[in-house]
Amino acid sequence: MNLPILQLLVLAGIAIFLILRLRSVLGTRDGFEAPNVPPAGLDERKRKFEVIEGGPDQDITDHAEEGSDTAKALANMKQREPSFEVGGFLSGARSAYEFILMGFERGELAEIKPYISDEVYEVFAQVVEAREKKGLKVEAEFIGVREVSIHSAEFHAASGTAEIAMKFIGELTSVVRDDTGEIVEGKEGKVKTQKDIWTFEREMGVNDPNWILVATGE
């Protein structure tokens, strides 16, 4: 056998060896193929996401115990008015507390009248009138709110009326002076803590977004 034919046979043998080697490593498209396996943890992440989507409303459970009467009432409010947010209500209640409290302390009832019920207005007016008859004047400064939380909530499905009782712990300075300017109550500059439970009311699902203060207490 001459040399060129021998070289050709050697090269052919090497080619056949390489083809068989590649087939053993890469496999073929015939027969069983391993299924595509999703990245580890994907199914678990999807499951957790589905639980969150169908789970408790965090806007409610952040402010009321899950399953409580208060939580159920808040859920009914949101069902009647989907745009209602408990967190947003608390923020507004905090501002209303300062505005109404200081209006009362200073006897400026005309400013706060649109935001309180007739019954609450009458009580406030009697206190302010009694002060004026005695020649007393209140000087007060609001410091801040230490705590604001939901005390209880009720929803009346028939009327669509919602009631939310709020617990406030506020801090302010307050002194009462007589007609000569002498302090007859309180101490100038001394911060006092005031605890209140105020109930706000509103009909859900109507255009008027304002909540009205309908009751005060401690």
Side-chain angles (χ1 to χ4, degrees):
M1 183 179 294
N2 59 30
L3 184 59
I5 294 175
L6 181 60
Q7 290 176 337
L8 182 61
L9 291 174
V10 171
L11 290 174
I14 293 173
I16 292 171
F17 172 78
L18 290 174
I19 291 171
L20 294 174
R21 185 67 176 172
L22 286 170
R23 289 186 60 158
S24 67
V25 173
L26 300 177
T28 68
R29 299 296 295 178
D30 298 327
F32 173 78
E33 292 185 39
N36 292 324
V37 179
L42 181 60
D43 289 342
E44 179 65 17
R45 291 195 298 271
K46 182 180 179 182
R47 186 188 68 80
K48 289 181 178 179
F49 177 76
E50 290 174 348
V51 169
I52 291 172
E53 284 293 296
D57 186 342
Q58 192 171 347
D59 181 47
I60 293 175
T61 56
D62 280 350
H63 308 289
E65 183 179 355
E66 184 179 351
S68 64
D69 290 341
T70 294
K72 292 175 182 177
L74 294 172
N76 289 332
M77 294 177 201
K78 298 188 77 168
Q79 186 174 10
R80 177 65 66 92
E81 186 175 308
S83 62
F84 171 63
E85 293 184 354
V86 180
F89 169 80
L90 263 71
S91 179
R94 176 190 292 266
S95 298
Y97 177 68
E98 176 182 354
F99 178 70
I100 295 173
L101 177 62
M102 298 314 294
F104 166 69
E105 291 284 348
R106 296 167 180 165
E108 300 168 349
L109 300 186
E111 293 185 5
I112 65 174
K113 188 175 182 179
Y115 309 101
I116 60 180
S117 68
D118 292 341
E119 292 77 11
V120 172
Y121 178 82
E122 288 300 321
V123 173
F124 283 4
Q126 290 174 12
V127 175
V128 172
E129 185 179 356
R131 289 183 201 154
E132 293 175 348
K133 287 182 177 180
K134 295 178 181 179
L136 303 177
K137 181 179 180 182
V138 176
E139 295 179 356
E141 292 294 334
F142 192 78
I143 304 300
V145 179
R146 183 189 299 177
E147 179 184 333
V148 53
S149 59
I150 295 178
H151 180 265
S152 63
E154 294 183 10
F155 181 72
H156 307 281
S159 63
T161 302
E163 294 181 1
I164 303 180
M166 297 294 300
K167 177 183 178 181
F168 298 101
I169 299 180
E171 293 183 336
L172 65 155
T173 62
S174 178
V175 296
V176 180
R177 298 181 184 273
D178 62 19
D179 53 5
T180 66
E182 292 294 322
I183 295 177
V184 296
E185 184 180 330
K187 185 176 181 180
E188 196 166 12
K190 182 180 180 180
V191 177
K192 71 173 185 178
T193 299
Q194 180 155 323
K195 300 179 182 179
D196 293 291
I197 294 178
W198 286 8
T199 302
F200 294 90
E201 182 181 277
R202 176 176 174 260
E203 183 180 349
M204 307 301 291
V206 299
N207 292 329
D208 186 357
N210 291 322
W211 291 77
I212 303 298
L213 177 63
V214 297
T216 62
E218 293 185 5

